Amino acid sequence: MSLSEDNLRNVQAEAITAASGSNLALALRVLPYGRRNDMRVFYAFCRVVDDLADEPGLPMEARHAGLLAWKAALGTQSASAYDPPLAQPLRAVFARHSVPLSWAVEVVSGCEMDLVGTRYRTWEDLRKYCYRVASAVGLVSARIFGGRGCEVYAEELGLALQLTNILRDSAEDFSVSGRVYFPEEDLLRFGVEPGSWVKSEAAGWRALMQFQVARAREHYAAAVSSLPATQRRVMVAAEIMRKVYGTLLDRMELDGFRVWEREYRLSRRRKAWLAATVFARTIVATAGQACGPLEKLPYIERV
């Protein structure tokens, strides 16, 4: 039996999500079936536009054209012969959950920032980038999860997660593409030369890292304090992300941020344990609440 075009694209979205091995892909396993599938479509879109910004084999003109095509597709609810793959399923997901298409445009704009510049003068400059590539993703995700009134939580958590990513990938980002995501004002403050952390511990490196850790933890704390108690259960997938990335941040800090010689990742088993722990604690803590789409969920999908 052949698949319809929409079903085929949904299958492709699921394959992209599964192949990524990302922390988000793990967190999606706690979602009810329909919301999980919708998140896979959205996540596949995020991967596609991110690849347009990062794929070294693509000419710069093709990258720009691909991102512009996505912006055009997200400027309307109507299908077009020029739509990128997944555009129509993505629009359907956004319509189903009352998500503004402008949030997806922000994600594309963040990817464009990676094409036109790889340095940021101030934290406010970097914050704009983090908002686009992470907070906007969080805003969309929160709506698909079923969250209401979670905008501040999504924005703050997105900033914290992206900062953690920046610390983790700092050596690879510079080695592969010359990108430096630490604000220039911070590098100057601690006397750290751009890229000096790629081969060994640079002068001022740990002080710079502790400063970035403190900033990330401020945003983690702001996310926690802004999550409405009535939304804890529907936002459990986001809370799993917070726990996984927070644990990764702790591990890097304890190890001295040795990014020049180590690739910091949590094992699949460790992430599964963290996910199960967050899920169980959330269900117990919200017992008796009318919390929405997770009320009848009896288990976490097998990892």
Side-chain angles (χ1 to χ4, degrees):
M1 182 172 60
S2 61
L3 291 170
S4 69
E5 185 174 354
D6 282 350
N7 283 338
L8 178 59
R9 287 176 176 174
N10 287 335
V11 169
Q12 292 170 335
E14 183 173 354
I16 290 171
T17 305
S20 72
S22 75
N23 295 321
L24 178 60
L26 169 69
L28 298 187
R29 294 176 181 274
V30 304
L31 294 177
Y33 180 78
R35 293 179 187 274
R36 185 166 67 243
N37 282 347
D38 285 351
M39 272 301 302
R40 283 170 173 161
V41 171
F42 174 58
Y43 180 71
F45 153 75
C46 292
R47 291 299 310 172
V48 167
V49 294
D50 186 64
D51 287 346
L52 283 170
D54 289 339
E55 177 55 54
L58 278 180
M60 190 62 69
E61 296 80 4
R63 298 187 196 184
H64 279 293
L67 293 174
L68 286 174
W70 268 109
K71 279 191 168 182
L74 294 169
T76 177
Q77 287 285 356
S78 302
S80 165
Y82 301 102
D83 278 347
L86 292 177
Q88 187 54 27
L90 182 69
R91 285 191 292 254
V93 167
F94 275 42
R96 187 155 45 247
H97 299 285
S98 301
V99 181
L101 285 172
S102 60
W103 287 350
V105 174
E106 289 283 4
V107 178
V108 178
S109 296
C111 293
E112 286 181 321
M113 291 176 74
D114 273 332
L115 292 185
V116 300
T118 60
R119 306 292 169 96
Y120 297 89
R121 189 174 62 84
T122 67
W123 160 237
E124 286 306 313
D125 294 336
L126 178 61
R127 182 187 178 115
K128 181 178 181 180
Y129 170 78
C130 292
Y131 174 85
R132 286 177 165 175
V133 300
S135 293
V137 172
L139 289 167
V140 175
S141 300
R143 287 282 181 91
I144 298 175
F145 294 164
R148 293 295 179 266
C150 297
E151 286 77 15
V152 174
Y153 169 84
E155 180 173 348
E156 292 291 341
L157 183 59
L159 294 174
L161 298 182
Q162 188 60 28
L163 284 169
T164 304
N165 273 338
I166 286 170
L167 302 187
R168 180 194 64 189
D169 298 335
S170 52
E172 179 183 356
D173 284 335
F174 188 85
S175 297
V176 173
S177 57
R179 293 175 182 170
V180 176
Y181 290 102
F182 301 119
E184 290 178 4
E185 63 182 5
D186 295 347
L187 295 174
L188 289 171
R189 176 178 180 176
F190 295 102
V192 178
E193 290 294 322
S196 58
W197 53 83
V198 170
K199 294 183 178 180
S200 63
E201 181 172 339
W205 173 248
R206 294 205 186 195
L208 172 67
M209 289 296 94
Q210 288 302 140
F211 185 78
Q212 305 305 321
V213 167
R215 175 178 283 155
R217 287 197 173 126
E218 286 180 4
H219 291 290
Y220 279 118
V224 171
S225 65
S226 63
L227 179 61
T230 57
Q231 300 298 299
R232 286 184 62 187
R233 186 174 287 198
V234 297
M235 296 301 290
V236 67
E239 283 293 277
I240 288 171
M241 293 284 288
R242 181 176 66 82
K243 184 64 174 178
V244 168
Y245 275 82
T247 300
L248 179 63
L249 186 64
D250 291 343
R251 176 174 292 185
M252 290 189 292
E253 182 181 30
L254 287 172
D255 195 48
F257 298 98
R258 303 174 67 83
V259 296
W260 55 90
E261 63 182 6
R262 297 183 186 175
E263 182 178 346
Y264 290 102
R265 298 289 188 274
L266 299 183
S267 69
R268 188 177 180 85
R269 178 174 295 182
R270 177 64 171 158
K271 289 189 289 187
W273 171 252
L274 292 172
T277 300
V278 171
F279 181 85
R281 288 177 177 173
T282 300
I283 297 303
V284 170
T286 58
Q289 292 183 8
C291 294
L294 290 183
E295 282 189 292
K296 298 181 180 179
L297 186 65
Y299 62 91
I300 298 179
E301 183 184 278
R302 182 178 179 183
V303 176

